[in-house]
Amino acid sequence: MALHNIEQLLEKYDNAETTLAEEAQLKVYFAQEDIPQHLESYKLLFQYVSDTRQEQFTKALPLQPKRKKLYQWISVAAIAILMLGAYFQMNQKTTLEDLNHEELLAYNQTMEVFSLVSSKLNKGTNSLGAFKLVSSKLNEGAENLNYLKEFQNTAKRIIRND
Amino acid sequence: MTQTNFLKLVMPFKDKIFRLSKRLLVSKEEAEDATQEVLLKLWNNNKKIENYKNVEAFSMTMTKNLCLDRLKSKQAQNLKIVHSNYQDHNVSLQKQIENKDSVHWVSKIMDELPDQQKMIVQLRDIEEYDFDEIAKVLEMNETAVRVALSRARKTIREKLTNKHRYGIT
């Protein structure tokens, strides 16, 4: 292409009036080796442009955010199920009629054991009555001590008066 | 949308997202992080994606917003982004001269532009977008895009010529 033409294009290029096609022409022109001295700076520019175009993004892209969401919901569901289970478990009331033979046997045995324990406990509390008696007597004795104190006081007074 | 479909959809412009974020964030690692985040956001919304008319423009806008946010928070924290991807200048004299002489300059000059101009140059010159596409991505009107682009191109050229002529850095 004629030098004159190129200079005109460059003028337009500087004013940002060139089309993409014209810029492509310039790029082709400046890709060649011998460029007139006064246009050397453009050559650098276009060389830089074509160099930078080669740069590529090479880092790996970790794409698996979709599963993460699913796992979150699984945990929510698990908690909901747990809570529901606990709720129903607490609401369940079993009566004696629901039990089968073996369970009934076990129930009766436990009840027997419990009643045995409670009767023994009652006996124990009965024998505690003796202690109560002792303590009441002790209180009585302490009250009697008061008389003694009073006697002592009067005795002291009499001695002082002498 | 399945994973393969999503990858097929994203494939053509994932590099563009990366290059735009690198243009803004400068460091390669930061840009990779940002790209990853944008793509993951897209994937998380993959049910809505099918309704979007132009997924690419939408993603580019997302990238722009994300990167600008990051830059802002970086500034607020008073942290400077590490320019870790600049080449080591001490490799050899030959290499050093080559780097200085050529493309490296342009990248330095580009880094000095305001964010908006950076993005416009990136989208127009490197990704070859139409003006109306750029306007859509950057949420600006077309005239403003043209003006900013022209300004950016002139700045770049001026600085390049200066450096070329006098070697001023």
Side-chain angles (χ1 to χ4, degrees):
Chain A
M1 200 186 294
L3 188 60
H4 176 66
N5 230 337
I6 289 293
E7 274 170 354
Q8 254 180 356
L9 273 186
L10 283 177
E11 179 87 7
K12 272 173 84 183
Y13 175 83
D14 276 348
N15 291 325
E17 283 160 353
T18 37
T19 62
L20 284 175
E22 286 167 334
E23 282 169 28
Q25 279 180 359
L26 284 175
K27 276 173 197 167
V28 171
Y29 176 81
F30 283 103
Q32 62 191 36
E33 277 307 310
D34 46 325
I35 303 293
Q37 190 72 42
H38 65 286
L39 296 180
E40 197 80 359
S41 56
Y42 281 110
K43 185 183 158 76
L44 283 182
L45 179 61
F46 285 110
Q47 200 191 334
Y48 172 75
V49 164
S50 68
D51 279 3
T52 2
R53 280 177 70 88
Q54 307 301 319
E55 269 186 298
Q56 282 180 344
F57 177 64
T58 47
K59 211 175 172 189
L61 203 59
L63 293 179
Q64 50 312 74
K66 265 193 174 170
R67 262 189 205 165
K68 222 167 139 196
K69 263 190 183 164
L70 191 67
Y71 279 128
Q72 275 172 352
W73 285 111
I74 283 177
S75 68
V76 170
I79 286 174
I81 287 171
L82 264 177
M83 301 278 262
L84 272 179
Y87 178 73
F88 281 123
Q89 201 85 114
M90 281 181 190
N91 268 10
Q92 224 169 40
K93 275 178 194 151
T94 43
T95 52
L96 276 180
E97 284 82 48
D98 296 336
L99 301 176
N100 60 29
H101 180 70
E102 241 168 75
E103 285 171 335
L104 211 63
L105 210 68
Y107 172 76
N108 283 339
Q109 268 174 359
T110 354
M111 285 317 263
E112 254 168 61
V113 172
F114 280 151
S115 60
L116 193 70
V117 170
S118 77
S119 72
K120 295 285 172 208
L121 212 67
N122 281 341
K123 235 183 246 172
T125 42
N126 279 347
S127 15
L128 272 179
F131 279 119
K132 239 182 216 166
L133 200 67
V134 170
S135 79
S136 72
K137 292 291 170 203
L138 213 67
N139 281 344
E140 244 167 69
E143 267 166 39
N144 290 347
L145 264 179
N146 282 345
Y147 294 121
L148 215 66
K149 241 183 213 162
E150 215 153 298
F151 171 74
Q152 217 175 359
N153 282 348
T154 35
K156 265 184 195 164
R157 242 177 254 162
I158 292 168
I159 292 168
R160 228 177 272 158
N161 288 348
D162 282 345
Chain B
M1 188 181 281
T2 63
Q3 195 162 324
T4 31
N5 277 350
F6 176 75
L7 287 178
K8 228 180 263 169
L9 177 80
V10 157
M11 242 343 134
F13 58 84
K14 74 172 177 30
D15 294 333
K16 295 184 185 176
I17 295 178
F18 172 65
R19 289 191 290 249
L20 179 64
S21 28
K22 194 175 165 217
R23 170 72 51 224
L24 284 168
L25 299 173
V26 180
S27 130
K28 187 180 170 219
E29 284 74 20
E30 293 260 354
E32 278 174 347
D33 279 356
T35 314
Q36 207 176 40
E37 201 175 322
V38 169
L39 291 177
L40 285 181
K41 269 186 189 164
L42 277 181
W43 169 245
N44 285 335
N45 288 329
N46 68 16
K47 277 195 195 116
K48 283 185 229 152
I49 282 184
E50 282 151 28
N51 305 332
Y52 292 141
K53 276 183 214 138
N54 190 342
V55 185
E56 183 173 333
F58 175 73
S59 324
M60 292 307 261
T61 312
M62 246 168 88
T63 313
K64 177 204 88 177
N65 291 336
L66 184 88
C67 292
L68 290 182
D69 277 355
R70 292 222 166 152
L71 283 176
K72 222 184 264 173
S73 72
K74 280 274 144 54
Q75 261 170 4
Q77 289 167 12
N78 223 355
L79 273 178
K80 227 185 161 205
I81 295 167
V82 190
H83 295 221
S84 51
N85 50 319
Y86 278 158
Q87 275 133 355
D88 186 5
H89 298 291
N90 301 326
V91 191
S92 73
L93 191 63
Q94 181 75 35
K95 192 113 194 181
Q96 203 175 340
I97 291 164
E98 258 174 28
N99 273 347
K100 258 199 180 157
D101 257 317
S102 62
V103 188
H104 191 60
W105 269 357
V106 191
S107 112
K108 267 196 164 173
I109 292 170
M110 292 272 255
D111 286 341
E112 285 163 12
L113 291 176
D115 286 342
Q116 199 187 48
Q117 292 184 16
K118 267 189 218 173
M119 287 190 284
I120 293 175
V121 172
Q122 176 74 21
L123 293 179
R124 177 69 184 186
D125 279 344
I126 291 157
E127 312 301 357
E128 296 179 344
Y129 276 34
D130 272 330
F131 281 115
D132 61 326
E133 279 176 313
I134 298 176
K136 217 181 285 163
V137 168
L138 299 183
E139 294 154 320
M140 300 165 63
N141 69 42
E142 261 186 72
T143 342
V145 172
R146 274 177 201 273
V147 171
L149 179 65
S150 152
R151 209 166 283 165
R153 278 175 175 169
K154 279 175 181 160
T155 321
I156 293 174
R157 204 167 92 78
E158 197 179 310
K159 286 190 179 170
L160 257 184
T161 336
N162 278 348
K163 275 185 185 160
H164 208 66
R165 214 172 277 160
Y166 310 112
I168 311 165
T169 34

